[in-house]
Amino acid sequence: MIFRSPYPTLEFPEQTDYTSFVLEGASTRSERPALIDSASGHTYSFGELVAAVHGLAAGLAARGIGRGDVVALYLPNMAEYAVVFHGVCAAGATNTTVNPLYTPGELAGQL
């Protein structure tokens, strides 16, 4: 069965990278919650999210990670996942997401 959203199709500008698109307008909502971890209750405001994403991107770039590199995300479902995902994108690298429940053989196969 196919489910269709009741909402209009999201327009994504071709010239914009994914992270810039997601964080667009964050500066106007810098104090509002952007991510809330339901398990821990930890909240990232939009301002904190942007700072964390750019900080991680700068750290990755300082270590030579950028366009053409692939970074494996081996994290459980938590707020920091979004920080790391977008930090990798902002650095120009590509994410490959790894299920943290993979067996060692499955992990080795993907990597």
Side-chain angles (χ1 to χ4, degrees):
M1 175 181 280
I2 297 175
F3 292 95
R4 303 259 183 229
S5 172
Y7 302 104
T9 301
L10 183 63
E11 295 296 325
F12 187 80
E14 288 186 36
Q15 70 278 6
T16 303
D17 65 274
Y18 181 67
T19 296
S20 296
F21 179 71
V22 169
L23 298 178
E24 183 180 323
S27 62
T28 63
R29 305 184 288 280
S30 65
E31 299 301 318
R32 295 186 63 192
L35 300 171
I36 301 171
D37 187 327
S38 63
S40 69
H42 183 261
T43 300
Y44 281 91
S45 69
F46 278 96
E48 291 169 330
L49 175 60
V50 169
V53 166
H54 290 158
L56 179 62
L60 292 171
R63 288 162 180 77
I65 297 171
R67 188 165 305 283
D69 293 318
V70 178
V71 176
L73 273 65
Y74 191 58
L75 296 168
N77 189 10
M78 56 194 300
E80 288 75 15
Y81 189 97
V83 172
V84 176
F85 183 92
H86 289 293
V88 170
C89 290
T94 300
N95 288 293
T96 183
T97 58
V98 181
N99 185 335
L101 299 177
Y102 273 177
T103 64
E106 291 169 323
L107 176 61
Q110 181 169 345
L111 297 179

